[in-house]
Amino acid sequence: MTSPAAAAAPRLTTGGRPTAIPKSRPATPRERLSSLTTHIALIVFSVIAFLPFFSMFLVSLYPADQPAVGIALPRELNFGNYARAWDVTNFATLMTSSAIVALVVVPLGTILCILTGYAFGAMRFPGRNLLFFTFLFGLLMPFEATIVPLYYDLRAFGLVNTYAGLILPETALFLSFGTFWMRAHFLSTPRALVEAARIDGANSWQTLWRVLLPSAWPAITTMMVLFFIWSWNEFLLALVLMTDKSVQTAPAGLGLFIGEHTKDSSGLAAAAVLMSIPCLIVYVVLQRHFIRGVTSGSVKG
Amino acid sequence: MVLNTAVLPPQAPASIAPAARRRGRSRGTAPGEPRLVAYLYLVPALLMVVVFVLLPVLHTVYLSLVKWDGVTAATFVGLGNYVDILTDPQLRALFLHSLELVFFFAVLPISLGLLITALLSRRAVRGMTFYRSILFLPQVVSMVVIAVAWQWIYAQDGVANQLLGLIGLDRGIAWLGDFTWALPAIGIVGAWLSTGLCMVLFLSGVQKIDTSLYEAARLDGANAWQEFRHITLPGLRAEIAVALTLTVVGALKSFDVVYLLTKGGPGTSTAVPGYEIFARAFGRGEAGSAASLAVVLTVIIFVVSIAISRFSKEPEV
Amino acid sequence: MSLHSSRRSRTALVLAAAAAIALGSAGCSALTPGAAPGGTATLAPATKLSADDVTALGDVTLRMTDGGDAAPESRLSQSIAKFEAEFPNVTVERDVKAFADYSKTINLVMSGDDAPDIAEADGAMAPRLVAGKLLRPLNDYFDAYGWAARYPSSILSSLKASPDGKAYGTGDFWGVSTGGELTGVFYNKAVLDRAGVDLPATFDDFQAALATLHDKGEIPIQLGNLDQWSGSHVFSTLLDNTADPQGLQDWINGKPGATFTSPETKQALTTFKDWFSQGYISEQANGILDEDAVASFMDGQGAFLITGTWRTADISTTLGENGGFMLLPPKEEGGPSYATGSYQGTFGISPKTKNADLAAFFLDYITGPVAASINEAGDFLGWYPDENSAPAGTAAEDVQTAWASVLENNGLVGWLDSASPAMGDTLFPALQELMAGQQTPEQVMDAVQKTWEDYRQA
């Protein structure tokens, strides 16, 4: 997500891939020591980043009478927690709702952001800056307050408790970021590419899809992964706008579990693990592209 | 917060736009060619942003001028809600809490990120992809899940005390219930969320700094600190600005981490503006005063983002 | 550039102004949808249906929402199932939310055009639902079904609210209740025996017992107050037995001139603070989840647990014969004890429903003797004491006894946070600050009274 920013404030020093590091020269002792320190530090921070998840995973396997106390191995493995969590929260329904929302939000948001990013990044037109700021607005405002008017506005459109009622505002919020991100990408595209296409007689639409898009995939993949994660984890909008059980999404369902079954810590942990699985799968499968995209994807200065 | 805001996509800074504009100007033209067809590309998205973001915002501004409980008829009170905010000493405490969170959400992670970056000898680190994936993990999981995990960690018999016990410091404190420690405890969750993000950012940023700068510095006999101070730090200015904006805005906006961990307690020691807005609007039926507080908070966030963008423009960090 | 940007910001201003005007002309009432003051909804006349009438209705769906227990074995789930079995043509669509989420969203839900037919409410939610005309006045159904005869007077008064929602005990009936709940003292006989402490019969004995337990290294009162509300039950139980119960109920009901400020209130606050600072209450109470504290109590940590009877089933089954329950001991042996408590499982009907008669019939069914008879765990405190039962020698049995005595003495005093919508947000943190020595009893008292007055003056 950061790369949008990094891209928008582009670095002029180098271009593209990390500068090749000379491998021929043997490492000096100072460098070896430093490399060791780096590894130790990275390992320490990785452990810290991972610890809460690890402890939660352990708890999700506890037998019913083992309290969630500190880090401790399960006395015996109890996979029944997962079955219980699945049943109690009616997870199949929750997951279906979440999936429906995410599977519309991600492509819809992606297509719209490609279009806006292209317009802002590769074209010049009056009111460009004002419009761009309009798009950025959603990134800065604290959302806790606008949700009250949003609820009434959506109700006026008859959208409360419908999938559209969650999908549309969610997409609109993500557009702020996505526009920002894709604009940064298209800004960094060599101008010559666009001009060449134009000389070949391509119109703007053809230029976008045939010439620019193929090289934009890393940036798009990253954005899609982020959209998926955000959509899947969205809590407050889902809580307020989807009050009907049949359309509730997974985080709201976990909220119900927290409210009702806090003393069932192993069941709660299992529910938490279950609801994280889709995001983890997407993240793990795409993480190579994703992390590269986040860190350098569109930083092409 | 940051990437993980369960509510919102990350606050990518508006402050960055001016930077891009500057760049365009320095080349003498805005990017791209003059084309009115651009409007067609913007229409669908703009429509959504106007309807689902801007109108609710204008609606919020309108609500900030009325007294309204959300169900009965509203009364117009003009700037009355704003006067109340300015004269309420308890609200000042909320903003001070935010300020403390800024240290944990922003200053600490950025410092740690820079420290790691400084340690890195600019050689490719074996297994970097693996480290990055792990460090980034907190951004992938729902805040609801994270809150549950940290609630256990901070419990009286939780991991935090277990670890402190290893060095003989377990005093049996239930961290989230302690007037002194609850806010720092929340801050540490925020630091945990953003440290990985900052590291990933800086570590990749530093890889892009021209190697010859370091070679030259070494030939000149620069020590590690001088290298860091004169090459690495300036080279990372853009990344630092991004990290700073994201994390500072995240701290100011923080809501879900407080809502899920302490509900502002004990007492009001962890109450922050974002949570207060929610509590007023949904708990107490004070939709008008909640809206005015939201407007004030939004203005503050704008001012801070602009300030950060100005700061990042300076040649020296 | 500067020329450019100033032109742009002018454009922005013009746009914003235009939008504001457009919004304004769209009608401000659309921006703050709400009942017009004094507006009256026309309601269809109420008819009491018979079982045959209901069967003759054909296929109907009733939609209800609540923040209760979704588990199939819960009383509400069972009563609904029984109803549906008896009237197969009626489908009940129930939407359950976690209580905290439910209370935050109920106004939004009920103000929608597709509001459910039936909604649960409590003393904190009812005022705004009533003021917003989101609950149908139930006077006609109270008459038709004779519901008033079920309830003791303090409960009956809290089921009525003034049209602006700011006072109880006057105005129309807004809800019908399934049963009651109250707070009192659960105890663990094993822990008392371990410390050689007899069950206290007076308040002084109780305090002496706390001291002894503390000296013996036991946790006298187990408390988890991270959620903030649980500590208020310990305090209100103390307060009900210190201050004038009728005065407190008047204050909660919003009777003009009532006040929280009194020497007795101060005394109760001081005692509460002293208990905590002397170590009679779990030292880390403010950082422990209520659920965890209850679990610790059932695990043998803590002699007393002052909480509500919604914990009865758990405690009674886990502690078995070691578990017990009593009201906070009175000042003088054999004197009356008071308890914080009120109705629970209370439901209102949406004025927008097309099935008001059926909704009333359904509510009469699930709040009536049928629900009371679903009582295997012995934790249910119904308005039909004959239907109440509990396993002998358990905390559950003690709870039933306490309930009967409170009903007889008219000894129930309502929840303090029902006094105004912001009361919980004022009182709960203030009590935590009192415990930590950051506020004096006077400051707590004044802040609470100010919140009460602010609400009534507005």
PDB file of all heavy atoms in Angstrom, chain A residues 244-260:
ATOM      1  N   ASP A 244     -29.001  -7.611   9.192  1.00  0.00           N
ATOM      2  CA  ASP A 244     -29.774  -8.828   8.995  1.00  0.00           C
ATOM      3  C   ASP A 244     -28.822 -10.029   8.926  1.00  0.00           C
ATOM      4  O   ASP A 244     -27.849 -10.021   8.206  1.00  0.00           O
ATOM      5  CB  ASP A 244     -30.563  -8.692   7.685  1.00  0.00           C
ATOM      6  CG  ASP A 244     -31.671  -9.722   7.598  1.00  0.00           C
ATOM      7  OD1 ASP A 244     -31.477 -10.836   8.121  1.00  0.00           O
ATOM      8  OD2 ASP A 244     -32.718  -9.400   7.032  1.00  0.00           O
ATOM      9  N   LYS A 245     -29.166 -11.038   9.705  1.00  0.00           N
ATOM     10  CA  LYS A 245     -28.288 -12.194   9.835  1.00  0.00           C
ATOM     11  C   LYS A 245     -27.950 -12.848   8.506  1.00  0.00           C
ATOM     12  O   LYS A 245     -26.842 -13.318   8.296  1.00  0.00           O
ATOM     13  CB  LYS A 245     -29.003 -13.211  10.709  1.00  0.00           C
ATOM     14  CG  LYS A 245     -28.114 -14.163  11.430  1.00  0.00           C
ATOM     15  CD  LYS A 245     -29.019 -15.099  12.190  1.00  0.00           C
ATOM     16  CE  LYS A 245     -28.280 -15.840  13.261  1.00  0.00           C
ATOM     17  NZ  LYS A 245     -29.248 -16.532  14.124  1.00  0.00           N
ATOM     18  N   SER A 246     -28.916 -12.857   7.587  1.00  0.00           N
ATOM     19  CA  SER A 246     -28.714 -13.622   6.359  1.00  0.00           C
ATOM     20  C   SER A 246     -27.652 -12.995   5.458  1.00  0.00           C
ATOM     21  O   SER A 246     -27.167 -13.634   4.540  1.00  0.00           O
ATOM     22  CB  SER A 246     -30.034 -13.738   5.596  1.00  0.00           C
ATOM     23  OG  SER A 246     -30.515 -12.446   5.305  1.00  0.00           O
ATOM     24  N   VAL A 247     -27.318 -11.717   5.698  1.00  0.00           N
ATOM     25  CA  VAL A 247     -26.309 -11.092   4.844  1.00  0.00           C
ATOM     26  C   VAL A 247     -25.062 -10.701   5.630  1.00  0.00           C
ATOM     27  O   VAL A 247     -24.164 -10.049   5.096  1.00  0.00           O
ATOM     28  CB  VAL A 247     -26.882  -9.839   4.126  1.00  0.00           C
ATOM     29  CG1 VAL A 247     -27.839 -10.246   3.034  1.00  0.00           C
ATOM     30  CG2 VAL A 247     -27.537  -8.886   5.105  1.00  0.00           C
ATOM     31  N   GLN A 248     -24.996 -11.084   6.921  1.00  0.00           N
ATOM     32  CA  GLN A 248     -23.859 -10.702   7.756  1.00  0.00           C
ATOM     33  C   GLN A 248     -22.551 -11.336   7.277  1.00  0.00           C
ATOM     34  O   GLN A 248     -22.546 -12.451   6.777  1.00  0.00           O
ATOM     35  CB  GLN A 248     -24.103 -11.137   9.194  1.00  0.00           C
ATOM     36  CG  GLN A 248     -24.189  -9.970  10.152  1.00  0.00           C
ATOM     37  CD  GLN A 248     -24.807 -10.402  11.456  1.00  0.00           C
ATOM     38  OE1 GLN A 248     -24.756 -11.571  11.829  1.00  0.00           O
ATOM     39  NE2 GLN A 248     -25.396  -9.451  12.159  1.00  0.00           N
ATOM     40  N   THR A 249     -21.450 -10.598   7.465  1.00  0.00           N
ATOM     41  CA  THR A 249     -20.160 -11.124   7.030  1.00  0.00           C
ATOM     42  C   THR A 249     -19.375 -11.678   8.217  1.00  0.00           C
ATOM     43  O   THR A 249     -19.764 -11.519   9.366  1.00  0.00           O
ATOM     44  CB  THR A 249     -19.335 -10.027   6.337  1.00  0.00           C
ATOM     45  OG1 THR A 249     -19.193  -8.940   7.232  1.00  0.00           O
ATOM     46  CG2 THR A 249     -20.027  -9.549   5.079  1.00  0.00           C
ATOM     47  N   ALA A 250     -18.227 -12.295   7.916  1.00  0.00           N
ATOM     48  CA  ALA A 250     -17.492 -13.050   8.927  1.00  0.00           C
ATOM     49  C   ALA A 250     -17.048 -12.234  10.150  1.00  0.00           C
ATOM     50  O   ALA A 250     -17.218 -12.697  11.269  1.00  0.00           O
ATOM     51  CB  ALA A 250     -16.301 -13.758   8.278  1.00  0.00           C
ATOM     52  N   PRO A 251     -16.492 -11.024   9.978  1.00  0.00           N
ATOM     53  CA  PRO A 251     -16.066 -10.302  11.184  1.00  0.00           C
ATOM     54  C   PRO A 251     -17.223 -10.009  12.130  1.00  0.00           C
ATOM     55  O   PRO A 251     -17.088 -10.118  13.348  1.00  0.00           O
ATOM     56  CB  PRO A 251     -15.480  -8.996  10.634  1.00  0.00           C
ATOM     57  CG  PRO A 251     -15.121  -9.288   9.235  1.00  0.00           C
ATOM     58  CD  PRO A 251     -16.115 -10.292   8.763  1.00  0.00           C
ATOM     59  N   ALA A 252     -18.379  -9.660  11.576  1.00  0.00           N
ATOM     60  CA  ALA A 252     -19.541  -9.418  12.419  1.00  0.00           C
ATOM     61  C   ALA A 252     -19.930 -10.694  13.149  1.00  0.00           C
ATOM     62  O   ALA A 252     -20.317 -10.668  14.316  1.00  0.00           O
ATOM     63  CB  ALA A 252     -20.699  -8.889  11.591  1.00  0.00           C
ATOM     64  N   GLY A 253     -19.810 -11.821  12.461  1.00  0.00           N
ATOM     65  CA  GLY A 253     -20.114 -13.103  13.079  1.00  0.00           C
ATOM     66  C   GLY A 253     -19.166 -13.413  14.222  1.00  0.00           C
ATOM     67  O   GLY A 253     -19.575 -13.899  15.275  1.00  0.00           O
ATOM     68  N   LEU A 254     -17.900 -13.086  14.034  1.00  0.00           N
ATOM     69  CA  LEU A 254     -16.923 -13.303  15.103  1.00  0.00           C
ATOM     70  C   LEU A 254     -17.274 -12.393  16.278  1.00  0.00           C
ATOM     71  O   LEU A 254     -17.140 -12.776  17.433  1.00  0.00           O
ATOM     72  CB  LEU A 254     -15.506 -13.005  14.603  1.00  0.00           C
ATOM     73  CG  LEU A 254     -14.397 -13.384  15.578  1.00  0.00           C
ATOM     74  CD1 LEU A 254     -14.370 -14.888  15.792  1.00  0.00           C
ATOM     75  CD2 LEU A 254     -13.052 -12.912  15.085  1.00  0.00           C
ATOM     76  N   GLY A 255     -17.754 -11.198  15.969  1.00  0.00           N
ATOM     77  CA  GLY A 255     -18.210 -10.282  17.019  1.00  0.00           C
ATOM     78  C   GLY A 255     -19.288 -10.936  17.863  1.00  0.00           C
ATOM     79  O   GLY A 255     -19.278 -10.854  19.084  1.00  0.00           O
ATOM     80  N   LEU A 256     -20.206 -11.647  17.201  1.00  0.00           N
ATOM     81  CA  LEU A 256     -21.265 -12.346  17.929  1.00  0.00           C
ATOM     82  C   LEU A 256     -20.663 -13.397  18.848  1.00  0.00           C
ATOM     83  O   LEU A 256     -21.044 -13.531  20.005  1.00  0.00           O
ATOM     84  CB  LEU A 256     -22.236 -13.013  16.951  1.00  0.00           C
ATOM     85  CG  LEU A 256     -23.367 -13.807  17.597  1.00  0.00           C
ATOM     86  CD1 LEU A 256     -24.346 -12.873  18.270  1.00  0.00           C
ATOM     87  CD2 LEU A 256     -24.090 -14.670  16.593  1.00  0.00           C
ATOM     88  N   PHE A 257     -19.684 -14.100  18.329  1.00  0.00           N
ATOM     89  CA  PHE A 257     -19.045 -15.145  19.129  1.00  0.00           C
ATOM     90  C   PHE A 257     -18.375 -14.536  20.363  1.00  0.00           C
ATOM     91  O   PHE A 257     -18.489 -15.039  21.466  1.00  0.00           O
ATOM     92  CB  PHE A 257     -18.013 -15.887  18.279  1.00  0.00           C
ATOM     93  CG  PHE A 257     -17.733 -17.273  18.781  1.00  0.00           C
ATOM     94  CD1 PHE A 257     -18.398 -18.346  18.238  1.00  0.00           C
ATOM     95  CD2 PHE A 257     -16.826 -17.488  19.804  1.00  0.00           C
ATOM     96  CE1 PHE A 257     -18.157 -19.623  18.705  1.00  0.00           C
ATOM     97  CE2 PHE A 257     -16.583 -18.759  20.277  1.00  0.00           C
ATOM     98  CZ  PHE A 257     -17.259 -19.831  19.718  1.00  0.00           C
ATOM     99  N   ILE A 258     -17.712 -13.396  20.164  1.00  0.00           N
ATOM    100  CA  ILE A 258     -17.049 -12.731  21.280  1.00  0.00           C
ATOM    101  C   ILE A 258     -18.079 -12.316  22.323  1.00  0.00           C
ATOM    102  O   ILE A 258     -17.886 -12.469  23.509  1.00  0.00           O
ATOM    103  CB  ILE A 258     -16.269 -11.493  20.792  1.00  0.00           C
ATOM    104  CG1 ILE A 258     -15.086 -11.935  19.945  1.00  0.00           C
ATOM    105  CG2 ILE A 258     -15.781 -10.662  21.975  1.00  0.00           C
ATOM    106  CD1 ILE A 258     -14.340 -10.798  19.299  1.00  0.00           C
ATOM    107  N   GLY A 259     -19.216 -11.798  21.824  1.00  0.00           N
ATOM    108  CA  GLY A 259     -20.238 -11.333  22.752  1.00  0.00           C
ATOM    109  C   GLY A 259     -20.851 -12.460  23.555  1.00  0.00           C
ATOM    110  O   GLY A 259     -21.256 -12.274  24.698  1.00  0.00           O
ATOM    111  N   GLU A 260     -20.940 -13.637  22.961  1.00  0.00           N
ATOM    112  CA  GLU A 260     -21.726 -14.692  23.585  1.00  0.00           C
ATOM    113  C   GLU A 260     -20.893 -15.772  24.257  1.00  0.00           C
ATOM    114  O   GLU A 260     -21.365 -16.452  25.141  1.00  0.00           O
ATOM    115  CB  GLU A 260     -22.589 -15.379  22.511  1.00  0.00           C
ATOM    116  CG  GLU A 260     -23.564 -14.456  21.834  1.00  0.00           C
ATOM    117  CD  GLU A 260     -24.737 -14.122  22.732  1.00  0.00           C
ATOM    118  OE1 GLU A 260     -25.219 -15.033  23.413  1.00  0.00           O
ATOM    119  OE2 GLU A 260     -25.137 -12.960  22.769  1.00  0.00           O
TER     120      GLU A 260
END
